[in-house]
Amino acid sequence: MSEASLDQAAKKTLLRKIPHGVFICGVAEGEEVNGFTASWVTQGSFEPPLVVMAVRADSTSNGMIQRTGRFALNVLAADQKDLAAVFFKPQKAVGGRFDAAPFQLGALGLPILDDALGAVECELVGQVAAGDHTVFVGAVKNAVLHRDAAALELSATGWQYGG
Ligand SMILES: Cc1cc2nc3c(=O)[nH]c(=O)nc-3n(C[C@H](O)[C@H](O)[C@H](O)COP(=O)(O)O)c2cc1C
């Protein structure tokens, strides 16, 4: 089938049925840290433990991940929609979103939010750059659990990212 025959409305409706969580991806380069809200995230392997995340090709963090080969995924609690909102808004300077969210650097030097349920730090093992997002595959090298509770899900926020 040619691309022109793709039923755009059906594609959008169906792709928006894919369930997603809401995470804060943390990155670091030199003295700089940055973070952004990410929902296109899934697990990709048990052994070794891999995660898959798609990141806008034109975002600040995409370049930081490419250059450093690292990213962290912070898992938010179900009641942390406000925190997720901070991390997709424009910021005055790179890393400015962390003014509202205290963090520590993990074993791989990546920002782990004090208030998140926890985070995994990953080393980049592969990527696919074929669209407006780059699909990054990361091997989980460090996991920090602050507390166990229900996680924030995209369906509970009323936001859409997909289609
Ligand atoms: C609900 C929601 C989910 C999002 N999921 C992603 C995602 O999976 N990948 C991505 O690159 N951007 C995603 N974004 C957009 C980024 O959070 C946004 O582009 C951010 O400004 C990028 O920050 P940066 O340029 O500082 O890296 C999402 C935004 C919203 C509102």
Side-chain angles (χ1 to χ4, degrees), residues 3-4 6 14 20-21 24 46 57 63 66 78 92 98 102 105-106 110 113-114 117 125 132 149-150 152-153:
E3 211 169 286
L6 177 63
L14 291 165
H20 288 106
I24 307 297
F46 282 121
Q66 302 266 4
K92 280 189 216 112
F98 285 109
L105 295 179
L110 299 163
L113 295 172
D114 292 353
L117 294 181
V125 294
D132 52 18
L152 183 61
E153 294 178 9

Side-chain angles (χ1 to χ4, degrees), residues 34 36-40 54-56 59-61 88 91 97 161:
N34 198 34
F36 69 99
T37 302
S39 57
W40 287 357
V55 181
R56 265 180 46 193
S59 71
T60 307
S61 302
F88 62 70
Q91 52 188 354
R97 295 174 186 131
Y161 196 83

Side-chain angles (χ1 to χ4, degrees), residues 52 57 68 81 88 98 108 119 144 156:
V52 178
T68 62
K81 182 180 172 183
F88 62 70
F98 285 109
L108 269 64
V144 175

Side-chain angles (χ1 to χ4, degrees), residues 50-53 55 61-72 108 110 121-128 134-141:
L50 301 178
V51 292
V52 178
M53 171 178 64
V55 181
S61 302
N62 188 304
M64 293 172 77
I65 294 169
Q66 302 266 4
R67 290 187 295 273
T68 62
R70 288 175 179 199
F71 64 87
L108 269 64
L110 299 163
E121 292 184 284
C122 305
E123 275 177 9
L124 195 63
V125 294
Q127 57 182 290
V128 178
T134 308
V135 179
F136 289 117
V137 180
V140 176
K141 296 293 180 181

Side-chain angles (χ1 to χ4, degrees), residues 142-157:
N142 183 38
V144 175
L145 181 66
H146 294 147
R147 60 196 166 99
D148 193 0
L152 183 61
E153 294 178 9
L154 187 62
S155 58
T157 65

